[in-house]
Amino acid sequence: MFDNFPLWPQRASTMAGNVDALYIFLLMVSGLMTLLISVCVVFFAAKFRHRPGVQAEPIEGSTPLELTWSIIPMGVFLVIFSWGAVVFFQERTPPRDATEVYVVAKQWMWKLEHAEGQREINELHVPVGRDVKMIMTSQDAIHSFYVPAFRIKQDVLPGRYTVAWFRATKPGTYHLFCAEYCGTQHSGMIGSVVVMEPAQYEVWMSGGSTGPLSASGEKVFAELGCATCHRPDGQGRGPNLQGLFGKTVQLEDGRTVTADENYIRESILDPGAKVLKGFKPVMPTFQGIVSEEQLNALVAYVKSLSSTRPGNAMAAGSTSPPAKASAQRSQVQ
Ligand code: CUA
């Protein structure tokens, strides 16, 4: 239904139908209420119009009437609320085993880097039928990652990561817009998402990679000398990063936080903000030293050290990208 309706963008993700159904329901409720109210206005205006010899009689409240117009709308609003909440949580919760793409927005382009190492500008290639999670940040202003055909829109902020995900259902090329005014060329900050058949995608993937993102991260990690403090044997001045990602950790000031992408990021740029329990705030900041791309690579590397991501703890020889990364790592060590 409505698939060729020109007011709706194409539907090309698993989420699109759910969003549209809710939207159509809202339109129908609003339409019905508008109709009901305008019919009543016209009908009452005609019925109770001023005529010679007819006197209007005011009434003083009616409990059944007031209950009706309170309880029915409340029910309708609660349906809208619960339905909206379900769709919202689906959109907000990326599946755990989703493929990851790091996105850096800047005035005025989208820079994308796959966990497998492929880099793209203003174009994102994805396979049909696979969950894709985008970990996004901005180098300057606030931008917004918007793919109408997938019904996703997420603000992209400087200084932290925001996340969006989708699973494409139809091969094709879809618009990618910036949906937040971000300067004079905002309207030109356009790209496309190319959804490919899995076999075609594998071919695309096999070309032009500089190695997994986590491997670039490992290189940055070594170049910056991080390993002198973050020693894998736990004897360093900084915490051992093996298996850290995804864990709930205790901080020096008694708080607990989840070691997620934003925590790793903050700990690199502002190391004193959330010091792990048992450690001293001795780490220098890397603000201004690492670029957004290097930061993403470092986050991907720390992530690859953790066994919470599927495929990571598996032995070398597995074909999944994180396992490849850890196989490479063991060669380096
Ligand atoms: Cu970026 Cu608007």
Side-chain angles (χ1 to χ4, degrees):
M1 191 177 65
F2 294 118
D3 239 7
N4 293 313
F5 196 58
L7 284 181
W8 259 270
Q10 265 187 297
R11 284 197 196 100
S13 81
T14 48
M15 205 62 69
N18 300 344
V19 173
D20 287 0
L22 177 59
Y23 191 67
I24 290 165
F25 177 74
L26 287 176
L27 282 179
M28 288 195 331
V29 170
S30 314
L32 222 66
M33 285 312 292
T34 309
L35 200 69
L36 187 71
I37 291 167
S38 37
V39 165
C40 287
V41 166
V42 173
F43 176 74
F44 290 140
K47 182 165 184 205
F48 298 110
R49 71 186 184 279
H50 183 73
R51 279 162 293 176
V54 181
Q55 196 63 45
E57 270 180 56
I59 53 165
E60 281 295 320
S62 156
T63 309
L65 199 60
E66 285 174 14
L67 282 177
T68 312
W69 74 44
S70 301
I71 290 171
I72 292 177
M74 187 174 84
V76 174
F77 288 137
L78 281 178
V79 167
I80 294 172
F81 169 74
S82 336
W83 191 347
V86 169
V87 174
F88 179 80
F89 280 111
Q90 282 172 345
E91 287 234 21
R92 292 285 109 181
T93 321
R96 276 190 155 270
D97 55 352
T99 313
E100 291 179 349
V101 178
Y102 286 81
V103 180
V104 178
K106 62 170 278 191
Q107 292 167 320
W108 287 273
M109 63 165 87
W110 298 100
K111 295 188 283 183
L112 305 109
E113 188 162 7
H114 295 249
E116 292 84 352
Q118 269 76 6
R119 288 163 189 251
E120 307 190 66
I121 285 181
N122 290 342
E123 248 190 6
L124 171 63
H125 288 76
V126 292
V128 81
R130 197 185 303 166
D131 300 327
V132 178
K133 171 183 173 185
M134 276 149 317
I135 302 164
M136 308 188 283
T137 189
S138 162
Q139 227 169 280
D140 36 50
I142 299 177
H143 305 269
S144 184
F145 189 96
Y146 178 36
V147 185
F150 297 165
R151 309 292 190 272
I152 55 165
K153 186 198 269 175
Q154 172 62 51
D155 273 14
V156 180
L157 311 173
R160 63 156 132 158
Y161 288 122
T162 51
V163 161
W165 79 278
F166 61 86
R167 179 197 283 232
T169 51
K170 253 199 290 190
T173 303
Y174 305 101
H175 280 302
L176 160 63
F177 292 119
C178 177
E180 183 71 54
Y181 181 69
C182 55
T184 49
Q185 304 290 312
H186 155 74
S187 61
M189 195 169 161
I190 326 179
S192 48
V193 180
V194 182
V195 178
M196 308 167 97
E197 294 291 354
Q200 224 185 334
Y201 178 72
E202 289 308 319
V203 173
W204 180 85
M205 255 303 174
S206 60
S209 170
T210 48
L213 188 59
S214 54
S216 334
E218 186 177 18
K219 225 181 283 166
V220 178
F221 196 79
E223 278 164 16
L224 295 174
C226 309
T228 35
C229 292
H230 296 285
R231 285 169 48 175
D233 60 5
Q235 301 298 306
R237 288 193 296 164
N240 173 10
L241 303 177
Q242 305 282 338
L244 173 76
F245 189 84
K247 278 219 185 101
T248 304
V249 293
Q250 254 214 307
L251 301 184
E252 198 51 36
D253 59 11
R255 286 179 295 168
T256 53
V257 293
T258 304
D260 57 9
E261 288 96 351
N262 269 315
Y263 176 68
I264 308 293
R265 182 194 171 85
E266 185 182 30
S267 299
I268 296 169
L269 298 179
D270 185 11
K274 287 170 186 153
V275 178
L276 214 58
K277 196 179 169 66
F279 291 90
K280 296 214 157 55
V282 291
M283 178 171 155
T285 173
F286 286 86
Q287 184 94 52
I289 298 173
V290 290
S291 67
E292 288 296 343
E293 282 81 3
Q294 289 176 316
L295 209 49
N296 289 343
L298 284 170
V299 170
Y301 172 60
V302 172
K303 221 184 240 190
S304 76
L305 296 174
S306 165
S307 53
T308 55
R309 283 196 43 80
N312 239 350
M314 276 192 271
S318 159
T319 50
S320 78
K324 257 192 268 173
S326 56
Q328 276 196 351
R329 197 160 50 247
S330 53
Q331 280 163 14
V332 171
Q333 275 159 2

